[in-house]
Amino acid sequence: MRFCRFDDNRLGVVVGDEVKDVTAVLDRLPAYRYPFPHGDQFMAHFAELRPVMEDMAKTAPSKKLADVALLSPIANPGKIVGAPVNYRLHLDEVLDSDQLHHGMKIKPIAEAGVFLKAVSSLIGPSEGIVVDWNDRRTDHEIELAVIIGKKAFRVSEADALDYVAGYAIGYDITIRGPEERSYRKSLDTFSVLGPYVVTSDEIPNPNNLDFELTIGGETRQKSNTKMLIFNVQKLIEFTTKAYTLYPGDIIMTGTPEGVAPIAAGDILHGTFEGIGTMDVKVYDNWDRK
């Protein structure tokens, strides 16, 4: 299954080039009072809602996918986890460029650990990336995004994929500078997720997916997830040694070599095997004009 959020917070099942509106299924979610439970509650109940969504989609009203405004398919993640320099060639390019490392000691992921991005940085592809720190270089990073489906703590590598609900394309936007990663990667609009979530049953092996990012027809990044230093299972094991992950939490698995600046007017065109494509426009102002 592929599901998305679109337009005015509608929930859709993606079938081919159409979106089937199944928003009414959200009426089946439990009602909560403060304090609210951890995690995205749609994802917490996704397993029981999925067959209802599939049945509703057979007769639901539809729109062309190209005609809807796609939002982040996950509305309320508790955490966005980032994996630093998790491709060997990207680690090499960071070490070789002072524009990327700014004199900081760059450690491989096993030593550096993962980092957290602010959930307020999360957007969908229709919302657009804003780059308005004109004194700084701002770069693109395309990544496989992993969506957690159930509570996970101290998960073994062997069992890790049992905790994955699905996958999406992620853009981890980064301002270069001397500050910690969480600061430079957490600006508003700097975490793009979409175009929808592809459930894990459709991608049995996330560690062998071709992907590419182009801007204006020029290839910027191109690789395969088999080049990950910590693959998806290892990342989940490593992350859950420190953090409890809840339904809807997102792991950005890292980016390959080829990171480069973006500017207003650019359109990031990402293609990921097994998922699809995601176009996101770059702006230099909050009016997005």
Side-chain angles (χ1 to χ4, degrees):
M1 173 186 277
R2 301 177 177 214
F3 65 85
C4 67
R5 283 197 313 131
F6 67 98
D7 293 347
D8 185 21
N9 290 307
R10 310 297 294 177
L11 177 68
V13 172
V14 178
V15 180
D17 64 351
E18 293 188 328
V19 178
K20 308 290 187 177
D21 191 332
V22 296
T23 308
V25 78
L26 299 177
D27 293 338
R28 294 172 175 256
L29 288 174
Y32 294 102
R33 294 185 62 184
Y34 180 83
F36 302 114
H38 288 292
D40 182 286
Q41 291 309 298
F42 169 69
M43 292 309 304
H45 294 274
F46 177 70
E48 63 204 64
L49 295 178
R50 177 175 178 169
V52 182
M53 294 166 62
E54 291 172 334
D55 188 59
M56 290 177 64
K58 296 173 183 176
T59 57
S62 64
K63 290 185 176 182
K64 291 293 185 183
L65 185 62
D67 294 336
V68 303
L70 289 168
L71 308 173
S72 167
I74 304 300
N76 296 295
K79 287 184 287 299
I80 303 173
V81 179
V85 288
N86 198 26
Y87 285 79
R88 170 57 59 181
L89 293 180
H90 178 49
L91 174 59
D92 292 343
E93 77 176 347
V94 172
L95 292 172
D96 288 343
S97 172
D98 60 4
Q99 292 187 41
L100 299 181
H101 64 65
H102 282 267
M104 295 184 290
K105 181 175 174 57
I106 303 300
K107 301 177 181 179
I109 185 170
E111 297 178 36
V114 294
F115 62 92
L116 298 177
K117 290 168 63 81
V119 295
S120 55
S121 68
L122 183 64
I123 61 166
S126 70
E127 296 172 85
I129 299 160
V130 177
V131 293
D132 64 349
W133 286 31
N134 297 324
D135 60 333
R136 294 288 190 95
R137 169 176 163 172
T138 303
D139 287 1
H140 57 71
E141 299 185 4
I142 184 172
E143 316 196 0
L144 176 67
V146 178
I147 314 303
I148 298 299
K150 58 184 179 180
K151 183 179 177 180
F153 182 64
R154 301 286 168 87
V155 171
S156 71
E157 187 173 346
D159 295 335
L161 292 185
D162 294 341
Y163 292 81
V164 176
Y167 304 93
I169 302 173
Y171 295 154
D172 176 18
I173 308 304
T174 304
I175 280 182
R176 299 300 172 188
E179 300 89 357
E180 296 291 341
R181 287 184 177 93
S182 290
Y183 179 81
R184 295 184 289 105
K185 291 172 171 282
S186 286
L187 278 66
D188 289 1
T189 76
F190 273 28
S191 301
V192 190
L193 188 73
Y196 35 70
V197 170
V198 179
T199 52
S200 58
D201 56 295
E202 295 197 17
I203 303 179
N205 180 14
N207 300 309
N208 189 16
L209 304 175
D210 289 324
F211 62 99
E212 182 177 10
L213 177 71
T214 65
I215 296 179
E218 173 194 357
T219 296
R220 295 287 189 89
Q221 295 180 273
K222 187 174 184 179
S223 191
N224 184 290
T225 54
K226 67 185 178 183
M227 304 302 291
L228 285 163
I229 297 173
F230 279 10
N231 68 13
V232 171
Q233 293 96 311
K234 182 64 176 177
L235 269 175
I236 292 172
E237 179 186 64
F238 189 75
T239 300
T240 61
K241 183 178 181 180
Y243 312 140
T244 299
L245 297 177
Y246 292 95
D249 283 357
I250 300 162
I251 300 177
M252 298 277 205
T253 57
T255 201
E257 73 280 6
V259 298
I262 55 176
D266 286 344
I267 297 176
L268 280 62
H269 177 74
T271 303
F272 234 105
E273 182 181 356
I275 300 175
T277 63
M278 183 166 76
D279 289 349
V280 182
K281 191 170 182 179
V282 180
Y283 300 88
D284 62 3
N285 66 85
W286 291 99
D287 292 331
R288 291 176 173 81
K289 295 179 180 179

